[in-house]
C-alpha cells in the first residue's frame, strides 16, 4: 500500500483481515469525527453515539478489491457487486456479534452495526431519516479521491483504482474489543 496520511481521527491505518471464509478485506479504524457523529444521529437514531471513558464511537471503512472495474455498468460488474456484498454482510455480522459478545458488552451501550451499501440504511438498527454515504465518508476519512459515474460517485483506491467495493461498519466499544473482533494482525 502507498504511504498515506489519514488525519487525526485515524486510529489504525488500512490493514488486511481475512473473513472466516478466507476472503481478504481492507479495514481501517477511525474515531468518529464530530461532523459524522452529527449525521449518524439521523442514520442510527436508536443507538447511543457518545464516548464514555474508554468506550468510543468508531467508524470502520471496509474495502474489497474487485476483479472488475466497478465504474462500468456491465453484467460482470453487477455480479461482482452481488458477490462482494454477500462477503461483506457475512463478515460484518460476525464482527458485530463479536463486539456485542465481548466481555465489556452491556446491552445498550456496547454495539456494532453496518450499513447496506446499496441503500445506506443500517442493518442491525432501526432506520433513521438519513442514509450513510459510504463513498463520501470513505473519501473524507481515507483521503481517497472519487470520480463520477452517472449519478453515483465511485471511490478511487490508491492501489486498486476503481476496482474497489467500499462499505462501512460502526462500533461503540473499547478499541481493544474492536481489534479483537477483527482478529487484527496489527497492534491496536
Amino acid at each position: 500500500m502507498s504511504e498515506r496520511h489519514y488525519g487525526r481521527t485515524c486510529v489504525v491505518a488500512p490493514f488486511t483481515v481475512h473473513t472466516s471464509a478466507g476472503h481478504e478485506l481492507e479495514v481501517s479504524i477511525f474515531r468518529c469525527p464530530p461532523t459524522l457523529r452529527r449525521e449518524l444521529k439521523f442514520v442510527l437514531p436508536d443507538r447511543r453515539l457518545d464516548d464514555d471513558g474508554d468506550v468510543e464511537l468508531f467508524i470502520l471503512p471496509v474495502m474489497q478489491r474487485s476483479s472488475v472495474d466497478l465504474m462500468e455498468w456491465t453484467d460482470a460488474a453487477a455480479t461482482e457487486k452481488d458477490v462482494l456484498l454477500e462477503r461483506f454482510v457475512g463478515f460484518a455480522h460476525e464482527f458485530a456479534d463479536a463486539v456485542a459478545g465481548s466481555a465489556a458488552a452491556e446491552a445498550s451501550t456496547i454495539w456494532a452495526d453496518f450499513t447496506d451499501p446499496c441503500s445506506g440504511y443500517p442493518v442491525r438498527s432501526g432506520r433513521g431519516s438519513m442514509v450513510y454515504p459510504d463513498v463520501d465518508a470513505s473519501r473524507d476519512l481515507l483521503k481517497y479521491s472519487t470520480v463520477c459515474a452517472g449519478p453515483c460517485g465511485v471511490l478511487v483506491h490508491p492501489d486498486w483504482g476503481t476496482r474497489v467495493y467500499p462499505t462501512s461498519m460502526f462500533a461503540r466499544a473499547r478499541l481493544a474489543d474492536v481489534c479483537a473482533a477483527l482478529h487484527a494482525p496489527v497492534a491496536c
Side-chain angles (χ1 to χ4, degrees), residues 44-97:
L44 300 159
D46 60 346
R47 293 292 191 174
R48 188 171 167 186
L49 302 176
D50 63 316
D51 294 337
D52 186 12
D54 61 349
V55 173
E56 300 177 82
L57 181 60
F58 297 101
I59 299 176
L60 294 86
V62 179
M63 306 293 140
Q64 291 181 79
R65 188 174 189 161
S66 172
S67 63
V68 299
D69 188 341
L70 296 182
M71 272 196 65
E72 299 174 8
W73 295 92
T74 64
D75 289 343
T79 300
E80 178 76 351
K81 289 177 185 177
D82 289 343
V83 168
L84 297 175
L85 173 63
E86 291 304 315
R87 286 182 190 166
F88 169 69
V89 168
F91 172 75
H93 275 299
E94 289 176 8
F95 169 76
D97 290 344

Side-chain angles (χ1 to χ4, degrees), residues 95-115:
F95 169 76
D97 290 344
V99 169
S102 69
E106 300 162 25
S108 64
T109 63
I110 304 294
W111 57 268
D113 202 346
F114 58 99
T115 50

Side-chain angles (χ1 to χ4, degrees), residues 97-176:
D97 290 344
V99 169
S102 69
E106 300 162 25
S108 64
T109 63
I110 304 294
W111 57 268
D113 202 346
F114 58 99
T115 50
D116 175 347
C118 299
S119 69
Y121 287 115
V123 173
R124 297 169 67 115
S125 303
R127 287 184 175 185
S129 59
M130 286 180 63
V131 296
Y132 186 75
D134 287 299
V135 171
D136 294 342
S138 295
R139 177 199 62 217
D140 294 346
L141 291 169
L142 293 162
K143 313 295 187 224
Y144 292 174
S145 62
T146 56
V147 293
C148 290
C152 301
V154 176
L155 197 68
V156 180
H157 188 282
D159 297 319
W160 308 335
T162 55
R163 291 176 177 248
V164 61
Y165 189 75
T167 53
S168 302
M169 301 187 305
F170 312 91
R172 184 180 183 278
R174 291 175 177 85
L175 178 59

